[in-house]
């Protein structure tokens, strides 16, 4: 299979084929996931919670992200690698440029940042400098202290309209991809239809152009013993991790996941 690029992802959107994205933090998982057909591997700052054991993503540093991005690059067999800019790594334009360069030099093909319309300047400056950007909207875990918890976003009309306007503005600013976390499916569908770039969802229903999950979650691994409502445990019915990841790829491609019970 040829290497996955932004062109590949745009074609998948145009052809109505779902894009499969999954977090990866090390070489072995990167190898298993890319061989199984995961098209986008997200080196997520969720590593602060699932690898490091913190109760939020805030303690993760750019050096942590670069370390795991390098590992994922070594195991990758053709997927597009997207790396998160962690908390405070893009508070200024200078920070955004310097820290994105570090992640791209570590092996990322694209960076992801969390926020809303205020990110437009960052997005256009990064894309002008050759750094593709994914804008993460909706539930943005780096701002959990402002949001007051990990809650569904965009349920009210005014908030939903603001999210739609932000999505359109970020595409216009140069974002190459959008990621929607924990938003009502109807709103996710509206945003997906309103923009040309691929929209990846998590807890955003089956109408987005692709799906992402945290790999630990979809393997049924959790420190608290609870999994969020939008997660399916793909280990059930499988004998090994490679089987679970292949089942996830198939379920996303065939639009069997997410099902109604995983939506808001
Ligand atoms: O950090 C991460 O894993 C993420 C996903 C939850 C989308 O941003």
């Amino acid at each position: 299979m040829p290497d996955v690029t932004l062109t590949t992802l745009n074609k998948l959107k145009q052809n109505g084929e779902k894009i499969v994205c999954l977090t990866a933090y090390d070489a072995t998982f990167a190898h298993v996931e890319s061989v199984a057909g995961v098209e986008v591997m997200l080196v997520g700052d969720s590593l602060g919670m699932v690898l490091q054991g913190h109760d939020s993503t805030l303690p993760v540093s750019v050096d942590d992200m670069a370390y795991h991005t390098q590992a994922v690059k070594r195991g990758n067999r053709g997927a597009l690698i997207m790396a998160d800019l962690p908390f405070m790594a893009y508070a200024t334009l200078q920070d955004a440029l310097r820290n994105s360069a570090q992640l791209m030099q570590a092996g990322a093909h694209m960076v992801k940042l969390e926020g809303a319309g205020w990110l437009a300047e960052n997005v256009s400056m990064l894309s002008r400098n050759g750094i593709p950007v994914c804008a993460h909207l909706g539930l943005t875990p780096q701002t959990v202290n402002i949001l007051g918890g990990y809650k569904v976003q965009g349920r009210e009309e005014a908030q939903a309209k603001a999210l739609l306007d932000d999505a359109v503005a970020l595409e216009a600013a140069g974002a190459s991809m959008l990621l929607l976390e924990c938003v009502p499916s109807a709103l996710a569908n509206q945003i997906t239809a309103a923009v040309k770039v691929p929209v990846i969802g998590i807890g955003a229903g089956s109408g987005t152009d692709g799906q992402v999950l945290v790999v630990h979650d979809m393997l049924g691994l959790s420190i608290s013993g609870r999994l969020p409502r939008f997660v399916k445990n793909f280990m059930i019915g499988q004998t090994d991790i490679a089987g679970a990841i292949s089942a996830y790829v198939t379920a996303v491609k065939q639009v069997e996941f997410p099902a109604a019970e995983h939506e808001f």
Side-chain angles (χ1 to χ4, degrees):
M1 191 176 78
D3 288 356
V4 176
T5 64
L6 283 178
T7 311
T8 321
L9 302 179
N10 287 324
K11 278 198 187 129
L12 289 173
K13 173 162 179 146
Q14 283 156 20
N15 296 339
E17 186 181 333
K18 298 291 179 184
I19 298 166
V20 186
C21 179
L22 189 60
T23 67
Y25 315 102
D26 67 31
T28 305
F29 270 83
H31 187 268
V32 171
E33 290 181 21
S34 53
V35 168
V38 171
E39 285 141 341
V40 180
M41 292 192 295
L42 169 63
V43 188
D45 61 356
S46 51
L47 69 85
M49 298 171 86
V50 297
L51 300 191
Q52 299 174 335
H54 296 297
D55 60 4
S56 77
T57 58
L58 273 60
V60 177
S61 68
V62 177
D63 285 345
D64 291 337
M65 294 307 303
Y67 173 88
H68 288 281
T69 302
Q70 283 168 344
V72 166
K73 177 189 164 68
R74 290 184 203 115
N76 183 24
R77 296 294 177 271
L80 184 141
I81 300 174
M82 172 158 76
D84 264 337
L85 281 165
F87 181 62
M88 283 300 134
Y90 46 101
T92 68
L93 292 178
Q94 289 309 322
D95 289 342
L97 194 54
R98 191 185 59 253
N99 293 323
S100 300
Q102 187 178 344
L103 297 184
M104 297 296 280
Q105 287 170 343
H109 302 111
M110 176 174 212
V111 298
K112 173 163 82 60
L113 32 71
E114 297 181 7
W118 59 268
L119 286 175
E121 217 183 335
N122 278 2
V123 168
S124 66
M125 189 265 307
L126 291 174
S127 56
R128 274 201 314 274
N129 280 281
I131 301 175
V133 182
C134 173
H136 180 153
L137 299 163
L139 171 53
T140 46
Q142 291 172 17
T143 41
V144 62
N145 293 303
I146 301 260
L147 299 178
Y150 298 98
K151 298 176 189 161
V152 178
Q153 303 295 309
R155 282 199 198 271
E156 283 143 30
E157 208 178 315
Q159 208 191 17
K161 184 178 179 320
L163 271 172
L164 177 59
D165 291 348
D166 285 339
V168 170
L170 289 165
E171 178 184 46
S176 299
M177 193 188 287
L178 301 179
L179 188 147
L180 298 178
E181 178 165 355
C182 289
V183 299
S185 306
L187 173 60
N189 294 349
Q190 230 185 326
I191 293 175
T192 305
V195 297
K196 287 202 176 65
V197 296
V199 178
I200 307 294
I202 175 166
S206 60
T208 53
D209 301 310
Q211 298 294 327
V212 61
L213 283 178
V214 170
V215 65
H216 291 63
D217 288 348
M218 55 78 76
L219 295 175
L221 299 171
S222 149
I223 294 176
S224 70
R226 289 185 309 274
L227 290 175
R229 170 194 168 133
F230 55 80
V231 172
K232 176 173 172 183
N233 179 353
F234 282 90
M235 271 312 287
I236 293 171
Q238 300 296 327
T239 50
D240 59 21
I241 287 173
I245 291 171
S246 290
Y248 169 67
V249 172
T250 305
V252 172
K253 287 285 180 196
Q254 294 184 350
V255 205
E256 287 163 356
F257 174 80
E261 78 233 44
H262 307 115
E263 299 191 11
F264 298 108

